[in-house]
Amino acid sequence: MKKNCLLLLLLFLGFAAQAADIKVTDYGAKGDGTTLNTVAIQKAIDACNAKGGGHVIFPAGRYVSGTVLLKNNVTLQLEKDAWIIGSTDVNDYTNPDPFKDGLGVDVGWALIAAVDVKNVGIVGAGGVDGQGSKLKERQILTDTRPESQRWGRRPFLLRVVRCDGVLVKGVSLNYSAAWTSHYFQSRNLQLEQLKIRSTGVAHNDGIDIDGCQEVRISNCDIVSGDDALCFKTTSSKMKCNNIIVSDMKLKSNQAGIKMGTESMAGFENISIRNCVIYDTKNGGIKLLSVDGAQIRNVIISDIKMMNIRTPILLRLGVRLSVFRKGQDVQQKTGLFEKVVLKNIEAVSADSTQLKAASGILITGIPEHKLSGVTLENIRIELPGGGTADEAGADVPEAIDKYPEVKTFGPVIPAYGIWARHVSNINIKNVSFRLRRSDGRPAVLLQDAQQLRMQGSVLPATKGAVSVFEIKTSRDVVIERSKVGAGPEVFIKADGISKGEINSKENQLPPGMKKR
């Protein structure tokens, strides 16, 4: 035992003796904002790796570069006022791991990439700026393809592919030409104290975790043009598993927290807590399985959302896309199991993706119900303004379509909760507040089974026929609800549902009929 410990100590000391911190300027890099430093930066990284690893130090300056690849045991250290600046020429970038995104576009080029390496990172008080808008402006002068296709040729700011042991801490990640940071099939990731400002071109996701395991993300401040914090599985071969996220500040032109736009493998054992989401233009929290993913043991808690559009969307669909052609096969339909959203406060923007705002959308498909979800201690403020005519709106099934709120619009026939093709759903202490009256029911259930709703608080409205509308549903329990005046009927149910509803201990205003 003593001999083994001594051997390990000698090996460690040998590695430490070889490890070297070097300055990128010693290898010819110039921080003048104009010199293309791709070759010099790569030489510094290679030299650091050859010496056993360490830090490649960037003194204050602006270092223009194309694609550089991190090597084993190398960390880029960006000192204060040190910036790696992306070249505005797309030809200065390479694609270390090509794939297609959820829209079917070829993507994967990057400014800084790490592929099949261990113990790498980017740390410090400096940052990386992709100059996304300038790169696009230059690109479209010669790339005549439609914008929906050519955007994929633009580089991500940071790509980490099949790596183990990654630290990204303290740095700023700004203005990517595509996704800002993408981590694929990697383990032992630590992302903390990041400041991301990435807007100006399409698809500026903030952080994309794609089939990664043992991940810790904390204390990041993200303002993104696309989804701020996004979990994906573009391959069926490795799920997102054992992930803890906390203390995030998220602003987005799309979603604050999204899981599953690309969803071939599972999302399991994930905790997201104590986050602020604000000024989002396409949703607060979205959990989606449309390519076969099993979403299991996911808890999202202690979330505050302000000025957001459509607070919650849960979707089980069957698009069943394959994103890495020749490397993967189509999956079977996925599922939700032990998914909990609790302790959430949300204030909706006045204008949303829908004609009139709705708070919570939950939908499976006729052959596959979305099940295994608990919503607990949720308070949502909505603008109201929906009409009684909109209560009769038909919502498209869109079983194989890209999963977005607008996919089910423009009208949702309930202002509070719309749940269709669901089972085993528990809703506890969910309350709504309206800034204006709304003529739609508070809750509409369609093809629901084993749904329990307890302790809800539903405001007074004018013009609505009922508080609840229930269609083709079985084993529904509604209890201890507190309801404001206005609607004539508490529960409106069709013939199939009437005998399947257990309503008890609800507080109704004088004159309101139970059914």
Side-chain angles (χ1 to χ4, degrees), residues 43-204:
K43 284 183 177 179
I45 292 171
D46 294 347
C48 186
N49 167 254
K51 294 179 180 181
H55 292 77
V56 173
I57 299 171
F58 288 73
R62 296 173 64 82
Y63 301 86
V64 179
S65 182
T67 301
V68 294
L69 296 173
L70 297 181
K71 300 294 181 66
N72 286 323
N73 305 312
V74 174
T75 295
L76 305 185
Q77 181 174 319
L78 306 178
E79 296 186 342
K80 184 180 180 181
D81 298 323
W83 288 85
I84 298 174
I85 305 296
S87 166
T88 58
D89 186 348
V90 295
N91 297 307
D92 289 331
Y93 298 93
T94 60
N95 189 339
D97 184 66
F99 70 103
K100 292 183 182 292
D101 82 326
L103 298 170
V105 178
D106 293 318
V107 294
W109 287 264
L111 173 54
I112 300 173
V115 182
D116 296 315
V117 295
K118 296 182 178 181
N119 305 323
V120 296
I122 307 175
V123 301
V128 185
D129 188 327
Q131 299 195 102
S133 294
K134 291 181 179 179
L135 184 144
K136 175 184 175 180
E137 183 180 354
R138 182 173 175 181
Q139 177 204 20
I140 63 177
L141 295 176
T142 56
D143 190 339
T144 59
R145 292 178 297 166
E147 176 63 16
S148 60
Q149 298 175 21
R150 70 181 166 208
W151 81 264
R153 181 61 182 82
R154 298 171 196 154
F156 299 0
L157 208 65
L158 170 63
R159 284 204 68 198
V160 173
V161 179
R162 297 182 300 272
C163 295
D164 190 347
V166 178
L167 173 64
V168 185
K169 180 178 180 180
V171 295
S172 295
L173 302 176
N174 290 357
Y175 306 111
S176 178
W179 299 356
T180 305
S181 58
H182 178 223
Y183 304 84
F184 174 66
Q185 288 190 349
S186 296
R187 291 180 169 87
N188 299 307
L189 307 181
Q190 185 175 348
L191 315 178
E192 59 179 286
Q193 298 172 18
L194 303 181
K195 184 176 181 180
I196 295 177
R197 296 292 183 268
S198 195
T199 59
V201 297
H203 309 286
N204 279 148

